[in-house]
mmCIF file of all heavy atoms in Angstrom:
data_model
loop_
_atom_site.group_PDB
_atom_site.id
_atom_site.type_symbol
_atom_site.label_atom_id
_atom_site.label_comp_id
_atom_site.label_asym_id
_atom_site.label_seq_id
_atom_site.Cartn_x
_atom_site.Cartn_y
_atom_site.Cartn_z
ATOM 1 N N MET A 1 -0.547 -5.292 15.565
ATOM 2 C CA MET A 1 -1.006 -6.711 15.680
ATOM 3 C C MET A 1 -1.481 -7.095 14.307
ATOM 4 O O MET A 1 -2.272 -6.392 13.618
ATOM 5 C CB MET A 1 -2.008 -6.969 16.827
ATOM 6 C CG MET A 1 -1.527 -6.570 18.144
ATOM 7 S SD MET A 1 -0.077 -7.606 18.672
ATOM 8 C CE MET A 1 -0.740 -9.219 18.513
ATOM 9 N N ASN A 2 -1.165 -8.284 13.812
ATOM 10 C CA ASN A 2 -1.477 -8.847 12.442
ATOM 11 C C ASN A 2 -2.171 -10.154 12.478
ATOM 12 O O ASN A 2 -1.842 -10.897 13.435
ATOM 13 C CB ASN A 2 -0.264 -8.916 11.578
ATOM 14 C CG ASN A 2 0.632 -7.554 11.566
ATOM 15 O OD1 ASN A 2 0.205 -6.549 11.401
ATOM 16 N ND2 ASN A 2 1.919 -7.763 11.805
ATOM 17 N N TRP A 3 -3.092 -10.280 11.577
ATOM 18 C CA TRP A 3 -3.555 -11.617 11.320
ATOM 19 C C TRP A 3 -3.091 -12.055 9.865
ATOM 20 O O TRP A 3 -3.385 -11.328 8.979
ATOM 21 C CB TRP A 3 -5.131 -11.696 11.324
ATOM 22 C CG TRP A 3 -5.671 -11.723 12.728
ATOM 23 C CD1 TRP A 3 -6.234 -10.554 13.436
ATOM 24 C CD2 TRP A 3 -5.770 -12.828 13.620
ATOM 25 N NE1 TRP A 3 -6.649 -11.040 14.681
ATOM 26 C CE2 TRP A 3 -6.396 -12.419 14.819
ATOM 27 C CE3 TRP A 3 -5.510 -14.107 13.588
ATOM 28 C CZ2 TRP A 3 -6.715 -13.205 15.883
ATOM 29 C CZ3 TRP A 3 -5.662 -14.989 14.630
ATOM 30 C CH2 TRP A 3 -6.420 -14.547 15.847
ATOM 31 N N TYR A 4 -2.539 -13.231 9.883
ATOM 32 C CA TYR A 4 -2.140 -13.859 8.586
ATOM 33 C C TYR A 4 -2.967 -15.193 8.315
ATOM 34 O O TYR A 4 -3.521 -15.742 9.419
ATOM 35 C CB TYR A 4 -0.674 -14.206 8.589
ATOM 36 C CG TYR A 4 0.350 -13.128 8.332
ATOM 37 C CD1 TYR A 4 0.623 -12.160 9.378
ATOM 38 C CD2 TYR A 4 0.863 -12.914 7.085
ATOM 39 C CE1 TYR A 4 1.406 -11.174 9.134
ATOM 40 C CE2 TYR A 4 1.818 -11.825 6.901
ATOM 41 C CZ TYR A 4 2.031 -11.037 7.900
ATOM 42 O OH TYR A 4 2.961 -9.962 7.808
ATOM 43 N N ARG A 5 -2.916 -15.599 7.186
ATOM 44 C CA ARG A 5 -3.546 -16.999 6.931
ATOM 45 C C ARG A 5 -2.717 -17.684 6.007
ATOM 46 O O ARG A 5 -2.025 -17.106 5.078
ATOM 47 C CB ARG A 5 -4.914 -17.033 6.501
ATOM 48 C CG ARG A 5 -5.232 -16.252 5.145
ATOM 49 C CD ARG A 5 -6.737 -16.214 4.922
ATOM 50 N NE ARG A 5 -7.108 -15.573 3.648
ATOM 51 C CZ ARG A 5 -8.197 -15.273 3.266
ATOM 52 N NH1 ARG A 5 -9.360 -15.329 4.049
ATOM 53 N NH2 ARG A 5 -8.470 -14.757 1.980
ATOM 54 N N GLN A 6 -2.756 -19.100 5.966
ATOM 55 C CA GLN A 6 -2.041 -19.830 4.985
ATOM 56 C C GLN A 6 -2.965 -21.070 4.732
ATOM 57 O O GLN A 6 -3.328 -21.834 5.505
ATOM 58 C CB GLN A 6 -0.784 -20.351 5.657
ATOM 59 C CG GLN A 6 0.109 -21.047 4.667
ATOM 60 C CD GLN A 6 1.516 -21.235 5.160
ATOM 61 O OE1 GLN A 6 1.687 -21.302 6.395
ATOM 62 N NE2 GLN A 6 2.460 -21.501 4.251
ATOM 63 N N ALA A 7 -3.311 -21.095 3.432
ATOM 64 C CA ALA A 7 -4.068 -22.169 2.730
ATOM 65 C C ALA A 7 -3.141 -23.315 2.449
ATOM 66 O O ALA A 7 -1.919 -22.996 2.196
ATOM 67 C CB ALA A 7 -4.955 -21.774 1.661
ATOM 68 N N PRO A 8 -3.542 -24.513 2.379
ATOM 69 C CA PRO A 8 -2.711 -25.691 1.973
ATOM 70 C C PRO A 8 -1.981 -25.416 0.684
ATOM 71 O O PRO A 8 -2.646 -24.993 -0.474
ATOM 72 C CB PRO A 8 -3.650 -26.771 1.876
ATOM 73 C CG PRO A 8 -4.787 -26.520 2.806
ATOM 74 C CD PRO A 8 -4.898 -25.082 2.677
ATOM 75 N N GLY A 9 -0.625 -25.567 0.591
ATOM 76 C CA GLY A 9 0.020 -25.359 -0.703
ATOM 77 C C GLY A 9 0.209 -23.938 -1.061
ATOM 78 O O GLY A 9 0.739 -23.646 -2.136
ATOM 79 N N LYS A 10 -0.132 -23.015 -0.192
ATOM 80 C CA LYS A 10 0.025 -21.583 -0.576
ATOM 81 C C LYS A 10 0.868 -20.861 0.412
ATOM 82 O O LYS A 10 1.037 -21.362 1.483
ATOM 83 C CB LYS A 10 -1.355 -20.921 -0.617
ATOM 84 C CG LYS A 10 -2.186 -21.357 -1.818
ATOM 85 C CD LYS A 10 -3.415 -20.655 -1.995
ATOM 86 C CE LYS A 10 -4.275 -21.165 -3.041
ATOM 87 N NZ LYS A 10 -5.529 -20.360 -3.313
ATOM 88 N N GLN A 11 1.327 -19.640 0.098
ATOM 89 C CA GLN A 11 2.112 -18.857 0.886
ATOM 90 C C GLN A 11 1.321 -18.230 2.175
ATOM 91 O O GLN A 11 0.051 -18.111 1.985
ATOM 92 C CB GLN A 11 2.872 -17.811 0.254
ATOM 93 C CG GLN A 11 1.973 -16.671 -0.276
ATOM 94 C CD GLN A 11 2.805 -15.697 -1.103
ATOM 95 O OE1 GLN A 11 3.857 -15.890 -1.586
ATOM 96 N NE2 GLN A 11 2.121 -14.524 -1.207
ATOM 97 N N ARG A 12 1.928 -17.803 3.267
ATOM 98 C CA ARG A 12 1.193 -17.127 4.280
ATOM 99 C C ARG A 12 0.989 -15.633 3.860
ATOM 100 O O ARG A 12 1.914 -14.986 3.549
ATOM 101 C CB ARG A 12 2.013 -17.274 5.518
ATOM 102 C CG ARG A 12 1.296 -16.887 6.890
ATOM 103 C CD ARG A 12 2.170 -17.209 8.044
ATOM 104 N NE ARG A 12 2.290 -18.571 8.210
ATOM 105 C CZ ARG A 12 2.924 -19.137 9.266
ATOM 106 N NH1 ARG A 12 3.315 -18.458 10.303
ATOM 107 N NH2 ARG A 12 3.197 -20.475 9.255
ATOM 108 N N ASP A 13 -0.256 -15.256 3.904
ATOM 109 C CA ASP A 13 -0.672 -13.937 3.490
ATOM 110 C C ASP A 13 -1.168 -13.084 4.657
ATOM 111 O O ASP A 13 -1.864 -13.611 5.469
ATOM 112 C CB ASP A 13 -1.567 -13.979 2.337
ATOM 113 C CG ASP A 13 -1.032 -14.557 0.983
ATOM 114 O OD1 ASP A 13 0.208 -14.219 0.745
ATOM 115 O OD2 ASP A 13 -1.884 -15.262 0.251
ATOM 116 N N LEU A 14 -0.939 -11.772 4.509
ATOM 117 C CA LEU A 14 -1.613 -10.778 5.521
ATOM 118 C C LEU A 14 -2.978 -10.751 5.351
ATOM 119 O O LEU A 14 -3.500 -10.477 4.133
ATOM 120 C CB LEU A 14 -0.832 -9.547 5.514
ATOM 121 C CG LEU A 14 -1.340 -8.442 6.452
ATOM 122 C CD1 LEU A 14 -1.063 -8.823 7.999
ATOM 123 C CD2 LEU A 14 -0.710 -7.084 6.146
ATOM 124 N N VAL A 15 -3.800 -10.894 6.369
ATOM 125 C CA VAL A 15 -5.203 -10.681 6.251
ATOM 126 C C VAL A 15 -5.725 -9.375 6.622
ATOM 127 O O VAL A 15 -6.370 -8.699 6.003
ATOM 128 C CB VAL A 15 -6.030 -11.820 6.985
ATOM 129 C CG1 VAL A 15 -7.517 -11.617 6.978
ATOM 130 C CG2 VAL A 15 -5.666 -13.169 6.509
ATOM 131 N N ALA A 16 -5.177 -8.909 7.785
ATOM 132 C CA ALA A 16 -5.573 -7.574 8.382
ATOM 133 C C ALA A 16 -4.607 -7.276 9.453
ATOM 134 O O ALA A 16 -3.856 -8.060 10.025
ATOM 135 C CB ALA A 16 -6.965 -7.656 8.983
ATOM 136 N N ASN A 17 -4.373 -5.917 9.619
ATOM 137 C CA ASN A 17 -3.666 -5.561 10.840
ATOM 138 C C ASN A 17 -4.123 -4.307 11.481
ATOM 139 O O ASN A 17 -4.969 -3.639 10.896
ATOM 140 C CB ASN A 17 -2.184 -5.321 10.461
ATOM 141 C CG ASN A 17 -1.866 -4.214 9.486
ATOM 142 O OD1 ASN A 17 -2.599 -3.331 9.290
ATOM 143 N ND2 ASN A 17 -0.728 -4.313 8.759
ATOM 144 N N ILE A 18 -3.684 -4.052 12.587
ATOM 145 C CA ILE A 18 -4.260 -2.891 13.415
ATOM 146 C C ILE A 18 -3.013 -2.294 14.181
ATOM 147 O O ILE A 18 -2.343 -2.955 14.837
ATOM 148 C CB ILE A 18 -5.401 -3.261 14.254
ATOM 149 C CG1 ILE A 18 -6.071 -2.134 15.083
ATOM 150 C CG2 ILE A 18 -4.952 -4.501 15.434
ATOM 151 C CD1 ILE A 18 -7.419 -2.260 15.711
ATOM 152 N N THR A 19 -2.974 -1.010 14.079
ATOM 153 C CA THR A 19 -1.709 -0.307 14.680
ATOM 154 C C THR A 19 -2.185 -0.005 16.128
ATOM 155 O O THR A 19 -3.240 -0.197 16.738
ATOM 156 C CB THR A 19 -1.419 1.006 13.942
ATOM 157 O OG1 THR A 19 -2.452 1.940 14.217
ATOM 158 C CG2 THR A 19 -1.286 0.719 12.521
ATOM 159 N N SER A 20 -1.139 0.657 16.841
ATOM 160 C CA SER A 20 -1.328 0.919 18.271
ATOM 161 C C SER A 20 -2.419 1.971 18.550
ATOM 162 O O SER A 20 -3.080 2.022 19.573
ATOM 163 C CB SER A 20 0.008 1.399 18.881
ATOM 164 O OG SER A 20 0.462 2.659 18.156
ATOM 165 N N VAL A 21 -2.694 2.765 17.332
ATOM 166 C CA VAL A 21 -3.664 3.841 17.435
ATOM 167 C C VAL A 21 -4.964 3.399 16.895
ATOM 168 O O VAL A 21 -5.866 4.219 16.686
ATOM 169 C CB VAL A 21 -3.226 5.158 16.881
ATOM 170 C CG1 VAL A 21 -1.938 5.654 17.768
ATOM 171 C CG2 VAL A 21 -2.824 5.049 15.372
ATOM 172 N N GLY A 22 -4.991 2.180 16.482
ATOM 173 C CA GLY A 22 -6.317 1.774 15.925
ATOM 174 C C GLY A 22 -6.532 1.772 14.441
ATOM 175 O O GLY A 22 -7.621 1.472 13.900
ATOM 176 N N SER A 23 -5.503 2.168 13.728
ATOM 177 C CA SER A 23 -5.613 2.260 12.325
ATOM 178 C C SER A 23 -5.680 0.861 11.765
ATOM 179 O O SER A 23 -4.782 0.057 12.201
ATOM 180 C CB SER A 23 -4.483 3.052 11.647
ATOM 181 O OG SER A 23 -4.484 4.391 12.055
ATOM 182 N N THR A 24 -6.502 0.458 10.768
ATOM 183 C CA THR A 24 -6.585 -0.877 10.267
ATOM 184 C C THR A 24 -6.290 -0.859 8.716
ATOM 185 O O THR A 24 -6.476 0.006 8.055
ATOM 186 C CB THR A 24 -8.048 -1.356 10.547
ATOM 187 O OG1 THR A 24 -8.969 -0.481 9.851
ATOM 188 C CG2 THR A 24 -8.254 -1.428 12.019
ATOM 189 N N ASN A 25 -5.898 -2.103 8.354
ATOM 190 C CA ASN A 25 -5.638 -2.438 7.001
ATOM 191 C C ASN A 25 -6.153 -3.794 6.677
ATOM 192 O O ASN A 25 -5.901 -4.731 7.534
ATOM 193 C CB ASN A 25 -4.167 -2.261 6.771
ATOM 194 C CG ASN A 25 -3.720 -2.503 5.278
ATOM 195 O OD1 ASN A 25 -4.303 -1.827 4.488
ATOM 196 N ND2 ASN A 25 -2.852 -3.359 5.065
ATOM 197 N N TYR A 26 -6.665 -4.009 5.424
ATOM 198 C CA TYR A 26 -7.175 -5.366 5.026
ATOM 199 C C TYR A 26 -6.799 -5.741 3.724
ATOM 200 O O TYR A 26 -6.617 -5.039 2.928
ATOM 201 C CB TYR A 26 -8.715 -5.322 5.214
ATOM 202 C CG TYR A 26 -9.274 -4.978 6.474
ATOM 203 C CD1 TYR A 26 -9.677 -3.679 6.825
ATOM 204 C CD2 TYR A 26 -9.606 -5.980 7.417
ATOM 205 C CE1 TYR A 26 -10.227 -3.329 8.002
ATOM 206 C CE2 TYR A 26 -10.247 -5.679 8.615
ATOM 207 C CZ TYR A 26 -10.469 -4.366 8.905
ATOM 208 O OH TYR A 26 -11.082 -4.110 10.289
ATOM 209 N N ALA A 27 -6.592 -7.035 3.539
ATOM 210 C CA ALA A 27 -6.378 -7.547 2.275
ATOM 211 C C ALA A 27 -7.729 -7.314 1.401
ATOM 212 O O ALA A 27 -8.725 -7.369 1.995
ATOM 213 C CB ALA A 27 -6.031 -9.081 2.301
ATOM 214 N N ASP A 28 -7.515 -7.134 0.131
ATOM 215 C CA ASP A 28 -8.702 -6.936 -0.688
ATOM 216 C C ASP A 28 -9.713 -7.993 -0.708
ATOM 217 O O ASP A 28 -10.929 -7.758 -0.684
ATOM 218 C CB ASP A 28 -8.169 -6.599 -2.187
ATOM 219 C CG ASP A 28 -7.520 -5.312 -2.413
ATOM 220 O OD1 ASP A 28 -7.676 -4.477 -1.545
ATOM 221 O OD2 ASP A 28 -6.768 -5.195 -3.469
ATOM 222 N N SER A 29 -9.293 -9.094 -0.531
ATOM 223 C CA SER A 29 -10.133 -10.301 -0.564
ATOM 224 C C SER A 29 -11.143 -10.437 0.635
ATOM 225 O O SER A 29 -12.113 -11.094 0.624
ATOM 226 C CB SER A 29 -9.280 -11.529 -0.621
ATOM 227 O OG SER A 29 -8.498 -11.654 0.544
ATOM 228 N N VAL A 30 -10.764 -9.623 1.673
ATOM 229 C CA VAL A 30 -11.560 -9.648 2.898
ATOM 230 C C VAL A 30 -12.248 -8.415 3.318
ATOM 231 O O VAL A 30 -13.059 -8.277 4.175
ATOM 232 C CB VAL A 30 -10.806 -10.238 4.151
ATOM 233 C CG1 VAL A 30 -10.086 -11.554 3.854
ATOM 234 C CG2 VAL A 30 -9.812 -9.236 4.582
ATOM 235 N N LYS A 31 -11.986 -7.289 2.514
ATOM 236 C CA LYS A 31 -12.405 -6.010 2.798
ATOM 237 C C LYS A 31 -14.020 -6.163 2.716
ATOM 238 O O LYS A 31 -14.656 -6.656 1.829
ATOM 239 C CB LYS A 31 -12.054 -5.032 1.784
ATOM 240 C CG LYS A 31 -10.704 -4.421 2.035
ATOM 241 C CD LYS A 31 -10.234 -3.448 1.032
ATOM 242 C CE LYS A 31 -8.835 -2.964 1.272
ATOM 243 N NZ LYS A 31 -8.453 -2.114 0.281
#
């Protein structure tokens, strides 16, 4: 499962995701 975000005039970027076993990954800007 993933969370993305899109600011006005910008592309949609990945913010964070979590796998089925709970491994997580974050964009540097939100770590």
Side-chain angles (χ1 to χ4, degrees):
M1 299 298 299
N2 306 309
W3 283 101
Y4 282 77
R5 68 185 180 186
Q6 187 168 21
K10 296 189 176 181
Q11 67 181 20
R12 192 173 295 187
D13 292 324
L14 180 66
V15 176
N17 63 22
I18 184 165
T19 69
S20 60
V21 296
S23 297
T24 59
N25 181 56
Y26 298 93
D28 287 344
S29 60
V30 306
K31 281 181 181 177

